[in-house]
Amino acid sequence: MNYNIAVIPGDGIGPEIVTEAKKVLDKIGSTYGHTFHYTEVLMGGCSIDATGVPLTEEALATAKASDSVLLGAVGGNVGQSNWYQLPPNKRPEAGLLQIRKGLNLFANIRPAVLFDELKGACPLKEEITDGGFDFVVMRELTGGLYFGDRKTYEENGVTTAMDTLTYNENEIRRIAKWGFDIARKRNKKVCSVDKANVLDSSRLWRKVVKEVAADYPDVELSDMLVDNCAMQLVKDPKQFDVILTENMFGDILSDEASMVTGSIGMLASASLGDTKLGLYEPSHGSAPDIAGQNKANPIATILSAAMMLRYSFDLEKEADAIEEAVKAVLKEGYRTIDIMSEGKKKVGTIEMGDLICSHIVK
Ligand code: IPM
Ligand code: MG
């Protein structure tokens, strides 16, 4: 089969990690008989430099017309880069929000897995992580505080800023369905996270999630307040299967979830909507401090490409082949600097990509 992939290298380490992911996709192509066509799209700081805006209409149209989108990372060093002198809606990250909204990618799946080989990097005590953990954060991505009205204004000589958190029942219902569908393919448990003891939007969230749960009698639903969830993630991460939550809570909890795995450089993510078109990107940022030095860990991007094969193209075997190759390379002791430990073999971005390619088998 032929697949058209819009590729957004972005900023910082983005281009180098995306290069490795393409290399791995091409190896999958030659091994399994597929052809991946790539169209490069500008987004983020590099787009600001070239066009004045973080995402042009044409760039969005190219992404829309593709079968799927692979993204590296966008953004720079907030303290140093001129991009951050621009108004907020013209900065690199605004491109990310625009493409999420423009492609209607309301469901963000962020897996948090403790890789057996990397247990040592986990900051939690062994008695907490014994037996490993494997859950996903299912984050609503196109609503809530991120997309509500906001303004900064003067009132009686006092500067005031306002952001609004709005959800309607349809937005909650569609993400809840995603959460339950994913749980069905996993361990059949959804933990819906909200702040229903304070927020109206959370009370509606809880009510609608419960209604959706009625259609999934085989999936167990629990509710948890977000502050408690933040605590439970470090106290007992094994209890979770699917954490279903709104945009802002998901942003915060998914960073915490990736940290407890000890290896944010390993974690992939997928943003999906009502169609097969998805956007796949590593969970980590653009790490401008190590850009261009062959130091970045490409594994999260490579595993994001695997998620693309699985969710957008239904290529299960091929996705498995990438995941197995990553495990095999780790088992052989190869590590990029972020996951390096004593006695292991340190490799750079390019070598890691090559090693993973060489372990792709049919
Ligand atoms: C993420 C990031 C983005 C977000 C930023 C860069 C706007 O933190 O993907 O989690 O908050 O969604
Ligand atoms: Mg975030």
Side-chain angles (χ1 to χ4, degrees):
M1 280 277 283
N2 285 319
Y3 299 95
N4 292 314
I5 303 175
V7 174
I8 306 178
D11 309 314
I13 58 171
E16 48 199 301
I17 53 182
V18 158
T19 298
E20 298 314 307
K22 278 162 59 183
K23 206 165 63 187
V24 172
L25 281 173
D26 288 338
K27 182 67 195 285
I28 286 286
S30 60
T31 311
Y32 287 84
H34 306 297
T35 309
F36 300 106
H37 299 285
Y38 308 105
T39 309
E40 218 165 275
V41 171
L42 282 182
M43 190 175 94
C46 56
S47 172
I48 296 173
D49 292 343
T51 71
V53 292
L55 182 73
T56 61
E57 287 295 327
E58 302 82 71
L60 180 61
T62 306
K64 238 181 216 167
S66 68
D67 296 319
S68 199
V69 185
L70 181 68
L71 165 65
V74 293
N77 210 314
V78 179
Q80 290 165 19
S81 165
N82 285 337
W83 299 330
Y84 297 93
Q85 306 299 321
L86 295 164
N89 62 349
K90 296 272 167 58
R91 293 179 191 169
E93 289 75 6
L96 189 56
L97 300 189
Q98 285 161 18
I99 201 168
R100 286 173 180 169
K101 195 72 167 181
L103 300 179
N104 195 27
L105 304 172
F106 59 84
N108 181 221
I109 308 172
R110 298 189 168 177
V113 186
L114 187 65
F115 289 87
D116 222 31
E117 289 294 325
L118 301 178
K119 269 193 196 140
C122 175
L124 302 179
K125 282 192 195 141
E126 231 180 283
E127 65 211 56
I128 294 178
T129 58
D130 215 17
F133 57 80
D134 176 349
F135 61 91
V136 302
V137 177
M138 170 62 84
R139 168 188 176 193
E140 200 291 326
L141 205 58
T142 53
L145 276 172
Y146 278 65
F147 293 95
D149 286 343
R150 69 178 96 255
K151 61 177 176 185
T152 303
Y153 56 101
E154 289 253 326
E155 203 169 56
N156 305 326
V158 181
T159 308
T160 306
M162 181 203 78
D163 300 277
T164 44
L165 202 183
T166 311
Y167 271 107
N168 69 43
E169 57 177 311
N170 299 331
E171 291 170 312
I172 301 170
R173 195 164 288 117
R174 64 184 187 175
I175 185 72
K177 280 187 186 151
W178 256 109
F180 283 96
D181 284 337
I182 293 280
R184 239 181 202 166
K185 294 189 188 146
R186 298 176 44 94
N187 290 321
K188 300 192 168 51
K189 286 200 311 185
V190 168
C191 178
S192 171
V193 172
D194 60 39
K195 189 69 185 169
N197 53 348
V198 179
L199 303 176
D200 260 21
S201 54
S202 280
R203 285 186 275 270
L204 180 63
W205 180 278
R206 205 174 265 218
K207 176 172 169 278
V208 175
V209 170
K210 197 171 233 150
E211 286 166 16
V212 172
D215 294 332
Y216 297 82
D218 50 322
V219 178
E220 180 192 318
L221 169 68
S222 58
D223 295 303
M224 193 179 276
L225 295 172
V226 62
D227 46 352
N228 184 26
C229 183
M231 184 179 81
Q232 295 296 333
L233 278 172
V234 290
K235 191 170 166 232
D236 179 21
K238 270 184 277 185
Q239 69 184 289
F240 296 112
D241 180 26
V242 176
I243 292 178
L244 171 66
T245 193
E246 65 92 47
N247 204 347
M248 181 70 144
F249 298 158
D251 179 44
I252 298 167
L253 295 177
S254 63
D255 261 31
E256 188 186 357
S258 63
M259 185 61 221
V260 299
T261 69
S263 41
I264 186 161
M266 304 284 301
L267 298 179
S269 92
S271 303
L272 297 147
D274 287 325
T275 68
K276 282 285 179 187
L277 172 64
L279 182 141
Y280 299 84
E281 58 177 315
S283 281
H284 59 72
S286 60
D289 49 318
I290 58 161
Q293 299 170 35
N294 196 34
K295 280 186 183 162
N297 185 350
I299 294 181
T301 318
I302 290 168
L303 291 175
S304 300
M307 286 184 95
M308 171 187 289
L309 299 182
R310 177 165 285 126
Y311 289 108
S312 282
F313 305 157
D314 292 318
L315 298 175
E316 291 285 339
K317 274 194 313 258
E318 291 82 343
D320 287 346
I322 295 182
E323 288 163 4
E324 289 309 317
V326 168
K327 280 187 205 149
V329 170
L330 292 175
K331 197 156 201 164
E332 287 173 11
Y334 294 103
R335 304 280 188 272
T336 43
I337 193 164
D338 56 309
I339 50 173
M340 184 62 192
S341 59
E342 226 184 288
K344 303 297 178 192
K345 296 170 258 189
K346 192 165 101 186
V347 295
T349 313
I350 299 169
E351 294 73 31
M352 185 54 97
D354 288 339
L355 281 161
I356 292 168
C357 281
S358 70
H359 285 74
I360 300 270
V361 286
K362 197 157 180 178

